[in-house]
């Protein structure tokens, strides 16, 4: 990535985004959380919390935690989310719902096909460096429209219209890599692309303070599984 494209993201600029120093941020009182008494402090705890919430969602027993007015007032003074979720814009995959989380829990970023650009990278860095979030979860999902659009354009050879070109450029490497793999090309592409995004973040020193994990959401079962 050209350094000049990142030049704007100085430490002071990032710090200015924060409403309060992370170390001094008030940890909001947690309410209606059935499985924990406090917010996750480590990446392992954060991942366990997300997966536990997803199991509640998939089972049709969500607790809809952390939505009450008292918590809203407490969070007005500062936030301390415990995970970054980078997912797709797909209307069937809203992170707060599928992980059964509420206000102040998760910093969510959503782009079609969870592709990266400078705004996304800057936002992840804000979460990791300023809010000191220990976990970044890159979430792909089956039957992703951005993946399908990419495969359509690769099959036809036609240029992607307008801004969609970015999606094709970002997802095409995974599609090329998996084209000869037997089975569902779209599924293989989604998995490889999600892992590729994860690895891009893992290899970026801007995110060295966090664990970066990839996962897949199943539209049929509602379950999230961690990708190897
Ligand atoms: Zn999608």
């Amino acid at each position: 990535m050209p350094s000049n494209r990142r030049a704007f993201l100085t430490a002071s600029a990032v710090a200015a985004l924060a409403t309060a120093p992370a170390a001094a941020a008030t940890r909001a009182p947690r309410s209606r959380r059935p499985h924990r008494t406090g917010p996750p402090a480590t990446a392992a705890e954060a991942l366990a919390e997300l997966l536990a919430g997803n199991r509640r969602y998939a089972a049709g027993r969500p607790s809809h935690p952390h939505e009450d007015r008292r918590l809203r007032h407490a969070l007005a003074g500062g936030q301390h989310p415990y995970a970054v979720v980078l997912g797709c814009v797909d209307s069937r995959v809203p992170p707060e719902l599928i992980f059964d989380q509420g206000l102040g829990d998760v910093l969510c970023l959503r782009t079609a096909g969870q592709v990266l650009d400078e705004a996304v990278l800057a936002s992840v860095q804000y979460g990791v460096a300023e809010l000191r979030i220990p976990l970044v979860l890159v979430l792909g999902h089956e039957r992703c429209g951005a993946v399908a659009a990419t495969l359509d354009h690769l099959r036809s050879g036609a240029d992607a219209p307008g801004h969609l070109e970015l999606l094709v450029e970002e997802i095409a490497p995974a599609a090329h890599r998996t084209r000869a793999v037997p089975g569902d090309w779209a599924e293989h592409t989604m998995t490889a692309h999600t892992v590729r995004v994860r690895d891009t973040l893992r290899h970026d020193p801007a995110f060295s303070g966090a664990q970066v994990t990839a996962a897949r959401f199943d539209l049929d079962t509602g379950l999230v599984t961690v990708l190897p």
Side-chain angles (χ1 to χ4, degrees):
M1 181 177 304
S3 59
N4 62 332
R5 294 188 66 197
R6 277 218 170 139
F8 76 97
L9 198 64
T10 61
S12 59
V14 172
L17 292 170
T19 56
T26 301
R27 283 186 179 260
R30 301 277 154 167
S31 61
R32 298 181 60 195
R33 182 180 294 282
H35 302 302
R36 298 189 60 81
T37 56
T42 68
E45 290 177 0
L47 184 59
E49 181 71 21
L50 289 178
L51 295 178
N54 174 248
R55 286 193 293 272
R56 296 194 299 272
Y57 168 79
R61 295 192 296 272
S63 63
H64 298 294
H66 312 152
E67 298 176 354
D68 57 86
R69 188 175 64 172
R70 185 176 64 89
L71 176 63
R72 189 186 77 216
H73 288 311
L75 286 171
Q79 61 171 327
H80 199 98
Y82 68 83
V84 174
V85 175
L86 169 57
C88 182
V89 296
D90 193 298
S91 63
R92 301 164 294 181
V93 197
E96 285 92 344
L97 290 181
I98 69 167
F99 289 115
D100 193 27
Q101 301 298 309
L103 295 173
D105 289 329
V106 182
L107 192 153
C108 293
L109 302 163
R110 300 176 69 179
T111 61
Q114 65 277 356
V115 301
L116 298 174
D117 67 8
E118 271 301 294
V120 173
L121 291 169
S123 299
V124 175
Q125 184 167 357
Y126 169 62
V128 171
E130 295 304 315
L131 299 179
R132 304 188 185 181
I133 295 174
L135 174 72
V136 178
L137 187 69
V138 182
L139 182 65
H141 70 95
E142 68 173 341
R143 303 184 202 114
C144 179
V147 170
T150 299
L151 301 189
D152 285 346
H153 286 285
L154 292 179
R155 290 188 185 101
S156 69
D159 292 334
H163 299 291
L164 291 179
E165 183 178 355
L166 173 67
L167 301 184
V168 174
E169 287 179 353
E170 292 296 314
I171 298 174
H176 290 308
R177 192 179 313 140
T178 58
R179 191 159 202 165
V181 177
D184 186 338
W185 189 22
E187 175 71 15
H188 294 323
T189 297
M190 182 278 295
T191 301
H193 168 66
T194 304
V195 168
R196 180 171 177 266
V197 172
R198 176 199 67 190
D199 291 345
T200 298
L201 296 178
R202 278 184 178 176
H203 295 140
D204 190 324
F207 313 118
S208 60
Q211 173 183 310
V212 186
T213 297
R216 171 190 184 274
F217 178 70
D218 190 298
L219 291 172
D220 301 307
T221 66
L223 285 169
V224 170
T225 53
V226 173
L227 295 172

